[in-house]
Amino acid sequence: LGRGRSAVARNVFERFTEKTIKAVMMAQSESRRLGQSFVGVGMLVVGVVGEGTDTGCQALHRLGIELPAVRAALEGLIPAKEPSKMLEIPFDEEGKWVLDRSLDFSKEQNSPTVDTSHMLRAILLQDTGVAMQLLCALLSCESADAARTKVLEALDGRGTPIATGRGGGSVAAAVAASAASAAAARHSAVEVEPELKVTRAFSQDLTAMA
């Protein structure tokens, strides 16, 4: 990559919050778990959910989407291979595009930083691809527009929470249950959420990945 592209990537990641950096790192971890050679947008969805506390995760949690379900659903779309041993896994073109649009959303909202809600809004700009298939499946939506509307309402605090847990019976929980037994051994063998000490050095590492 040329110096110009590296400078742009560095500027993007320097604006990411620690929680957003954690989500990106978890997306890379998911790619490694699935034995892939790239970080795609579907893996960024897993990262947003897996981060666990930020605004993007909270919105998806209101809709009943939790980490076991989203990982199991993604594995149905991207069958797992042997876990990758690559230290640096690059983003594919769609993944890079989402990262760039995340920055655009933060600027539009006059935010000095990029949080996971900005990333989630960028993901929702897509009409096709693994990420939208993933959201449609988890939300039981027949179209990208329907899934997009549900997530945007949740992000804006207008969505109706979906019960989860033993009494909930959410779609996300059903997806998780159907795939859990097949994926359990692989899931338990791979570290999903490593302890991350997020520093500016992570931004430099991610620049190389982009």
Side-chain angles (χ1 to χ4, degrees), residues 127-145:
D127 288 321
T128 59
V130 170
M132 193 53 70
Q133 293 177 51
L134 188 61
L135 291 172
C136 285
L138 291 167
L139 297 173
S140 194
C141 292
E142 296 184 356
S143 69
D145 284 341

Side-chain angles (χ1 to χ4, degrees), residues 28-38 43 71 75 78-87 89 182 185-187 189-191:
Q28 185 188 31
S29 177
E30 184 68 6
S31 174
R32 187 177 293 110
R33 183 186 74 85
L34 293 174
Q36 301 299 311
S37 59
F38 62 89
M43 295 153 192
R71 293 182 75 214
E75 190 166 322
I78 306 177
K81 304 175 184 178
E82 287 296 318
S84 172
K85 296 181 180 180
M86 294 175 62
L87 295 179
I89 303 178
R186 182 159 44 246
H187 289 182
V190 179
E191 184 177 3

Side-chain angles (χ1 to χ4, degrees), residues 44-60:
L44 287 172
V45 175
V46 175
V48 169
V49 177
E51 181 279 324
T53 62
D54 204 22
T55 49
C57 174
Q58 290 173 15
L60 294 178

Side-chain angles (χ1 to χ4, degrees), residues 193-209:
E193 187 174 354
E195 294 183 2
L196 300 175
K197 181 179 180 181
V198 183
T199 65
R200 189 170 297 274
F202 276 143
S203 296
Q204 296 171 352
D205 293 340
L206 290 167
T207 296
M209 284 165 31

Side-chain angles (χ1 to χ4, degrees), residues 52-134:
T53 62
D54 204 22
T55 49
C57 174
Q58 290 173 15
L60 294 178
H61 185 73
R62 290 189 197 103
L63 296 173
I65 296 177
E66 300 190 30
L67 184 59
V70 71
R71 293 182 75 214
L74 181 62
E75 190 166 322
L77 296 170
I78 306 177
K81 304 175 184 178
E82 287 296 318
S84 172
K85 296 181 180 180
M86 294 175 62
L87 295 179
E88 292 185 356
I89 303 178
F91 294 94
D92 65 11
E93 290 304 314
E94 292 298 318
K96 294 176 186 177
W97 186 87
V98 164
L99 296 178
D100 287 339
R101 297 293 78 75
S102 301
L103 179 59
D104 292 340
F105 273 116
S106 73
K107 291 178 178 177
E108 288 176 9
Q109 296 181 356
N110 296 316
S111 172
T113 57
V114 178
D115 63 35
T116 57
S117 72
H118 299 133
M119 183 180 293
L120 188 53
R121 289 178 189 275
I123 291 169
L124 293 175
L125 291 175
Q126 298 196 322
D127 288 321
T128 59
V130 170
M132 193 53 70
Q133 293 177 51
L134 188 61

Side-chain angles (χ1 to χ4, degrees), residues 59-60 63 120 124 135 139 147-155:
L60 294 178
L63 296 173
L120 188 53
L124 293 175
L135 291 172
L139 297 173
R148 185 180 298 112
T149 297
K150 282 189 176 184
V151 177
L152 286 174
E153 287 179 348
L155 279 168

